[in-house]
Amino acid sequence: MKKSNIERMTEEARELAQQLVPLLHGLHQELQQTDIKTLQSQLRAVNSAINPLKAAGIAVPEELTRKQESLEYSIRAIDPARRFLADFFDQIRPLTPPTHTAYQRRRPPRSTANSRVSLAELFDADILQDGTEVVHLAKRSGRRIAGTLLRPGIIELCLDGHIQRFDTPSGAGKAVSGRSTDGWMYWHIERNNELVPLDYYRSRYLKWRKELGRETQETD
């Protein structure tokens, strides 16, 4: 009996999912367990050992060379891997029906006001990922300021050699600029070589929360 397009596509999708899901899970876990700052520190230490040897014309031990290459490869791989996962889930999220159990298992929204959203809420909804870099590019000077998004919902910055953490984008923006800012438009995440404002991710969350609220009303 000839299969319908739905049956055929379902079987093909199931076969792909059996291979893809473990790979994605493994990649996600690897990224969660990888601290780029630690890798960079290790690379600096290795370079500090190699550079004097090269300057003195002494052969660099093969073990040090292999360690240097391994660290460089690992560091270069992190950002493309993060962008791939972010883009992948951006593409499939609209295909997930609001009634799917993945939505039903999510934590209820913390905020009741439509316009008031915290970074923690975006982390809870898996819209933001731990360790993602946020940047601000000054229009006039072209200066690039970078920070890191961390759970449960903070932006970590290194200012004047000191690590500082902020629980709002506006607070982090004010610390850099010295004046009040709309942090959701001030900070950006790089995707496909483009800077996307945090406001885009806040809008996605608000849309999801609205759909979740509508679904909850329908099932009550």
Side-chain angles (χ1 to χ4, degrees):
M1 182 178 178
K2 187 177 179 180
K3 296 180 179 178
S4 68
N5 285 337
I6 291 179
E7 289 177 307
R8 177 179 56 79
M9 294 174 71
T10 299
E11 290 181 359
E12 292 177 359
R14 183 180 292 113
E15 291 177 2
L16 287 173
Q18 289 174 349
Q19 302 176 43
L20 186 60
V21 170
L23 283 174
L24 291 173
H25 180 74
L27 177 58
H28 174 72
Q29 291 294 106
E30 191 70 22
L31 287 172
Q32 291 289 94
Q33 296 169 8
T34 301
D35 183 355
I36 189 170
K37 292 182 180 179
T38 299
L39 293 178
Q40 291 170 337
S41 177
Q42 292 174 352
L43 180 59
R44 285 193 295 269
V46 171
N47 288 338
S48 296
I50 289 177
N51 292 339
L53 296 177
K54 288 184 175 180
I58 301 173
V60 178
E62 187 176 345
E63 181 181 350
L64 276 178
T65 301
R66 287 199 301 266
K67 182 66 173 177
Q68 182 187 50
E69 292 177 349
S70 175
L71 288 168
E72 289 175 344
Y73 291 151
S74 296
I75 292 170
R76 284 200 299 267
I78 290 175
D79 281 345
R82 286 175 174 168
R83 287 196 297 269
F84 164 74
L85 284 180
D87 291 341
F88 177 82
F89 287 112
D90 277 349
Q91 292 178 55
I92 67 171
R93 198 182 299 275
L95 303 179
T96 308
T99 55
H100 193 277
T101 55
Y103 284 82
Q104 297 173 5
R105 287 197 297 267
R106 294 193 187 277
R107 300 177 187 177
R110 299 179 183 181
S111 176
T112 55
N114 288 336
S115 60
R116 295 186 62 83
V117 176
S118 68
L119 290 170
E121 289 176 279
L122 272 64
F123 273 106
D124 286 346
D126 293 332
I127 290 175
L128 293 180
Q129 302 299 318
D130 189 50
T132 300
E133 183 182 61
V134 291
V135 299
H136 171 71
L137 191 62
K139 293 181 179 180
R140 294 183 178 179
S141 66
R143 181 189 173 200
R144 187 178 188 274
I145 301 99
T148 306
L149 287 169
L150 298 173
R151 287 187 180 276
I154 61 175
I155 294 178
E156 181 181 87
L157 300 174
C158 182
L159 301 175
D160 298 324
H162 300 285
I163 299 298
Q164 298 186 37
R165 294 184 170 186
F166 304 88
D167 57 7
T168 66
S170 296
K174 185 176 182 180
V176 172
S177 66
R179 61 180 183 273
S180 297
T181 65
D182 179 356
W184 295 98
M185 295 300 296
Y186 187 87
W187 296 106
H188 297 71
I189 293 175
E190 186 174 355
R191 289 181 51 207
N192 299 324
N193 297 320
E194 293 185 3
L195 292 178
V196 180
L198 280 180
D199 185 64
Y200 165 78
Y201 298 92
R202 178 175 62 171
S203 297
R204 278 180 46 192
Y205 171 77
L206 289 171
K207 180 180 178 181
W208 167 80
R209 193 170 70 180
K210 183 178 180 181
E211 293 175 351
L212 181 62
R214 184 185 302 116
E215 178 60 25
T216 302
Q217 291 177 356
E218 291 176 354
T219 56
D220 285 347

